[in-house]
Amino acid sequence: MKNKKGLIKQDSGRRKFLKMGIFASGAAVTAVGLNVFADDKTTGEKVKVMTTDGKTVEVDSGSLEKESCCNSHAVSNKEAREGMPGKKFVMVVDLSRCRNALKCQDSCNKNHFITGHNAWLKVYNMRESADTAPYWMPMMCQHCDEPACVTVCPVDATFKRRDGIVLIDNERCIGCRFCMAACPYSTRIFNWSEPDQKAAMEAVDHSPKYSPEHAGSPSIKGTVDKCDFCPHMTRQGKLPHCVSACPNDVFLYGDAYEDTVTNGSGQSYRLSKLLEDKAGYRYLDRLGTHPSVYYLPPAERSDDFVDGLENYTEFESVRKPE
Amino acid sequence: MSKYDELIVELAPRKFQRYGKIWTTGLIIVVILGIIAYIDQIIKGQEVTNMRDYVLWGVYISNFVFFVAISFVGSLGAAILRLTKKAWRTPLVRIAEIIAFAAIIMAGLTIILDMGRPDRLLNLFIHGRLQSPITWDVIIITTYIAISLLILYIPLLPDLAILSKYFKGKTWLSKWYGFFSLKWTGSKKQWEIQSKSIQIVAVLIIPVALILQTVDAWLFSTTYRIGWDSTNFGPYFIAGAFVVGTGGLISVMYVLRKAYHLENHITNMHFDKMGRLLVFACLVYLYFNINEYLLPAFTAPKAETEHLDELFTGLYAPLFWFVTIGGLILPILILIFPKGRKPLPLFIIALLVVVTSWWKRYLIVVPSLLHPFMPMQGVPESWHSYFPSLHEWAIVSGTLAMALLIITILVRYLPIIPIYRTAKEQGILETDKEGQL
Ligand code: SF4
Ligand code: SF4
Ligand code: SF4
């Protein structure tokens, strides 16, 4: 195992998670650190992905899909509002690794049955000014510690849990959209009409049972949706869909109290060290939102920005079945 | 017929003539179309609007802000005019109160039209959380509805009693007036209670009206949005409400004077005074507009400059300059001359002020939403801009027509010029021996 600075030895990392009961089994890891499962879903289509040590390899695109989640997790509304004790969930997004592969978005869309026109996770084509380099920036709900959306919600339909996650109770939301006006990250989407999720659910054999912990299952007309930080996965010891779907290990997810974050390949890092070494920052933090998502700057990028343009669709973030 | 009786005949509500009937029917048709469009919106969802995830509030909210604004001077003006005890205001007060009442009722209704789940309206009361500006809005709007109803109703009592007598021949009308007059006889005790109540409500309505406008402004300024995140917004909204309220009052005044031949009561002097008030209001508002738009133009960071550019020279420039010149500069320039304050020119200016004020609210709501912090990506191209859909226009027209309909109905059945006060001020009041009506 690699033992770069800050990289916890994988075995001990795994054991640690087993102890915590989190991410215990989800992250099966191959030698190159890809999410390749013994899976018969080979498509014959090869895609280029980057390994954790920066090499580019070709694998079958079917092998990148994770198995979809489950119907079993639903917790009571009270539990869903309280959150898990003794946890503070955080995400780290390594911008230097993102090449707009969009596997994160596909997986999030698929597993949250997003069938509208606006994804919860978007990879922005970012360029701050004419003399800085462009980069790809995955952005989902930042699960702010001072969430503007929660402050303005008149009915406590959107709420902050003790584990840091911000969720929406779609059975309570009155659809005023004030939270959308308040969120500076434009991550909230509205169900303008009756969501048509039937095909998307059938495709993965999912029977919807509403829980704020699994947003989009189902989505409810006239209410707001957004990234839920996938507590329905965490409860099963698995990583969020976007994290495990990313072929480039852009995302790391974990518990700030444990000071540990894990990427899709199952490698764990010390959060504090990672942020310090790589000059991690939080986006628009000057507004006072205090996000739970950290970004590592797009420095020393291992690939070319323009490669990502191939996947870039300015006017689409939810791919429609043909 | 004594002078007093003549006055009653002159001021008592009358059946509509031809134009009145056409007007009312027209309004009812527009309201019905609005209701149909709304039902369709309920069935299909707000997909029928042109609002989307970026422009998440549109013409419903700007229309709501307009109603809240116009309800302001209607009522606050009435309170001030009442409290100052100036006789000249007598013929204007009730008109102002009627406008205020109609507008605030419609404000309450329009906010429901914007809700994705109107069926969950009660959640606002069951799960209401105090830190949300919407909760403040719900509280203050209901309070304001109650107060404007009271300030309209309490002073009406003697007039209702007079009308009950006057309509003796038509038993049902007489009965209704009698019922609503709460057995008013004009006894000393009743007068005492009445004038005390009016005093209390008139004093109460001032802070409530100020809070109402401010809370409305806070709906916007409690967000981070460029163009909304302004500490100037409270007074800015109050000043704007002052302008549109005065404009609304002048417009309705003029129409009623024409329709009911009230030239003896609503005189050129009234128009002149209201014209002066409007200039004053416009000047104050101009000051806040300079604070809101011109000052940021000097120091604004990039994103804000983009927003301002769009207003000054970009997509929204025609609307912005129409609103600024038509709704602020022109009224000031014309109304500082006494000739400009003659009824007809003043009426035209007042109408212009009302129309531009409506669009002004649109300019406050929409362009800011098109300048989020994140770039607009990954959504259909049509989501990058906004103009209300047919459904939205139908529904908004319905609400405006409904407001006018409420005013019309009140005008039909209430004496728009207080009979009792006018008689008293003219010294022609007739009472029986005990001083009762
Ligand atoms: S990113 Fe937006 S939606 Fe998410 S917690 Fe922060 S303010 Fe709320
Ligand atoms: S739209 Fe729903 S979640 Fe958002 S503020 Fe309104 S009630 Fe709360
Ligand atoms: S954490 Fe879950 S909901 Fe959020 S972007 Fe990732 S997959 Fe989507």
Side-chain angles (χ1 to χ4, degrees), chain B residues 312-334:
Chain B
F312 293 163
T313 54
L315 191 61
Y316 287 97
L319 199 52
F320 179 80
W321 292 112
F322 167 62
V323 159
T324 311
I325 294 174
L328 272 179
I329 317 252
L330 215 59
I332 294 173
L333 288 182
I334 292 178

Side-chain angles (χ1 to χ4, degrees), chain B residues 64 104-114 145 399 402 406:
Chain B
F64 160 75
I104 194 65
I105 292 267
M106 288 320 292
L109 280 178
T110 36
I111 196 122
I112 297 173
L113 303 179
D114 186 68
I145 290 179
T399 65
M402 185 71 200
I406 296 178

Side-chain angles (χ1 to χ4, degrees), chain A residues 233-255:
Chain A
M233 296 300 279
T234 320
R235 288 223 191 251
Q236 308 169 70
K238 294 180 190 166
L239 287 164
H241 308 290
C242 55
V243 179
S244 39
C246 178
N248 304 320
D249 281 336
V250 168
F251 303 92
L252 302 100
Y253 187 82
D255 179 358

Side-chain angles (χ1 to χ4, degrees), chain A residues 149 152-158 168 172-180 188 190 223-224, chain B residues 134:
Chain A
C149 54
V152 300
C153 179
V155 295
D156 203 14
T158 194
I168 299 165
R172 184 183 286 189
C173 170
I174 59 168
C176 65
R177 304 189 293 285
F178 200 0
C179 53
M180 298 173 74
R188 294 182 156 247
F190 190 69
T223 66
V224 173
Chain B
I134 292 197

Side-chain angles (χ1 to χ4, degrees), chain B residues 63-75 95-111 141 144-145 148-149 152 212-213 216 241 244-245 248-249 252 354 399-408 410:
Chain B
N63 192 43
F64 160 75
V65 178
F66 171 80
F67 275 129
V68 170
I70 203 163
S71 78
F72 176 72
V73 170
S75 235
I95 302 178
E97 284 157 1
I98 287 176
I99 300 174
F101 178 67
I104 194 65
I105 292 267
M106 288 320 292
L109 280 178
T110 36
I111 196 122
I141 287 180
Y144 198 69
I145 290 179
S148 4
L149 182 63
L152 175 66
L212 173 66
Q213 299 304 322
D216 204 33
V244 60
L249 178 54
V252 178
V354 174
T399 65
L400 292 168
M402 185 71 200
L404 291 173
L405 195 61
I406 296 178
I407 296 177
T408 309
L410 291 179

Side-chain angles (χ1 to χ4, degrees), chain B residues 212-437:
Chain B
L212 173 66
Q213 299 304 322
T214 312
V215 165
D216 204 33
W218 286 347
L219 275 189
F220 301 97
S221 54
T222 46
T223 69
Y224 294 112
R225 298 261 170 185
I226 293 156
W228 290 356
D229 182 13
S230 157
T231 45
N232 187 20
F233 247 45
Y236 175 55
F237 269 49
I238 293 176
F242 193 11
V243 172
V244 60
T246 317
L249 178 54
I250 295 171
S251 317
V252 178
M253 232 167 87
Y254 181 86
V255 174
L256 290 181
R257 174 169 112 139
K258 265 255 137 80
Y260 286 89
H261 307 291
L262 297 171
E263 284 81 0
N264 290 335
H265 299 276
I266 305 176
T267 62
N268 285 8
M269 179 271 290
H270 288 109
F271 281 93
D272 187 69
K273 288 214 156 133
M274 290 308 290
R276 284 167 200 243
L277 195 63
L278 187 53
V279 180
F280 174 66
C282 285
L283 283 171
V284 175
Y285 197 36
L286 182 66
Y287 168 78
F288 280 107
N289 270 279
I290 290 172
N291 269 297
E292 198 54 45
Y293 294 110
L294 224 51
L295 226 61
F298 280 96
T299 56
K302 190 167 153 269
E304 215 158 312
T305 315
E306 269 170 27
H307 168 67
L308 289 174
D309 280 350
E310 187 144 313
L311 290 177
F312 293 163
T313 54
L315 191 61
Y316 287 97
L319 199 52
F320 179 80
W321 292 112
F322 167 62
V323 159
T324 311
I325 294 174
L328 272 179
I329 317 252
L330 215 59
I332 294 173
L333 288 182
I334 292 178
L335 298 184
I336 45 171
F337 298 106
K339 263 200 188 136
R341 299 196 294 270
K342 291 264 172 290
L344 185 63
L346 180 60
F347 170 63
I348 295 171
I349 290 290
L351 269 189
L352 186 66
V353 163
V354 174
V355 172
T356 52
S357 293
W358 191 90
W359 282 104
K360 171 84 182 170
R361 305 301 178 289
Y362 182 88
L363 277 181
I364 292 176
V365 174
V366 175
S368 277
L369 290 169
L370 287 169
H371 288 273
F373 290 97
M374 299 306 296
M376 284 195 250
Q377 290 175 12
V379 295
E381 202 170 358
S382 61
W383 293 24
H384 290 226
S385 58
Y386 169 79
F387 193 74
S389 72
L390 219 60
H391 277 79
E392 286 174 278
W393 281 123
I395 291 172
V396 163
S397 308
T399 65
L400 292 168
M402 185 71 200
L404 291 173
L405 195 61
I406 296 178
I407 296 177
T408 309
I409 292 172
L410 291 179
V411 162
R412 165 67 185 83
Y413 289 105
L414 301 180
I416 27 182
I417 311 248
I419 302 174
Y420 179 84
R421 278 205 83 99
T422 312
K424 204 171 160 199
E425 276 156 16
Q426 295 183 355
I428 55 169
L429 191 66
E430 285 171 18
T431 52
D432 62 19
K433 282 175 247 80
E434 289 106 66
Q436 307 205 335
L437 288 168

